[in-house]
């Protein structure tokens, strides 16, 4: 069965960095887009970033562009989110998601499996 396991969350100071990982299993990883989304306390799910199945293209929501970098290692079945210059408003539960196809989109309906999430807290 499909499994997505996020790790790497924690407490960071404003301006600091964290690197999230999502280990995938149960499907042919290199055939599907992957994305990261987040949910802050009291708010709805926000799509953060996506990457094509072959890594050839990436997308970011405006609030993280230039600070976050998504990447994937298809040999390790893992997708990453490098988060730099963290801000308190980045505090959220971060989820990785498997796309239904090879192209990354911003539509939650285009993702069929989600991990359990990893908490990121940015505070001094």
């Amino acid at each position: 069965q499909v499994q997505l396991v996020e790790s790497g969350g924690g407490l960071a100071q404003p301006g600091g960095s964290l690197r999230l990982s999502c280990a995938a299993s149960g499907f042919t990883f290199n055939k599907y887009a992957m994305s990261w989304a987040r949910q802050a306390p009291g708010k709805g799910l926000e799509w953060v970033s996506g990457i094509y199945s072959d890594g050839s293209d990436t997308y970011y929501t405006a609030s993280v562009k230039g600070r976050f970098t998504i990447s994937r290692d298809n040999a390790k079945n893992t997708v990453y989110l490098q988060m730099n210059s963290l801000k308190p408003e980045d505090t959220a539960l971060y989820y990785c998601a498997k796309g239904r196809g090879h192209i990354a989109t911003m539509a939650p309906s285009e993702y069929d499996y989600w991990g359990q999430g990893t908490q990121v807290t940015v505070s001094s």
Side-chain angles (χ1 to χ4, degrees):
Q1 69 278 22
V2 173
Q3 285 194 320
L4 301 172
V5 180
E6 302 96 337
S7 61
L11 176 64
Q13 292 189 339
S17 298
L18 286 172
R19 188 194 196 202
L20 306 184
S21 300
C22 173
S25 61
F27 63 100
T28 306
F29 184 74
N30 63 10
K31 292 189 181 299
Y32 295 95
M34 298 294 294
S35 281
W36 288 94
R38 66 187 180 185
Q39 187 164 22
K43 296 188 177 181
L45 190 67
E46 177 189 25
W47 183 87
V48 174
S49 180
I51 186 167
Y52 277 33
S53 60
D54 60 359
S56 61
D57 212 346
T58 58
Y59 295 94
Y60 301 92
T61 193
S63 62
V64 309
K65 199 170 293 184
R67 300 189 297 120
F68 290 11
T69 303
I70 190 171
S71 62
R72 64 191 295 159
D73 185 337
N74 284 348
K76 295 183 178 180
N77 288 2
T78 301
V79 60
Y80 305 97
L81 187 68
Q82 177 67 44
M83 305 187 296
N84 298 330
S85 303
L86 283 164
K87 303 177 181 180
E89 51 263 43
D90 295 319
T91 295
L93 188 60
Y94 283 72
Y95 300 92
C96 73
K98 169 190 168 293
R100 295 183 187 274
H102 68 281
I103 296 175
T105 76
M106 294 177 62
S109 61
E110 293 301 314
Y111 296 89
D112 52 6
Y113 289 92
W114 297 76
Q116 293 298 307
T118 185
Q119 178 67 39
V120 170
T121 302
V122 183
S123 174
S124 56

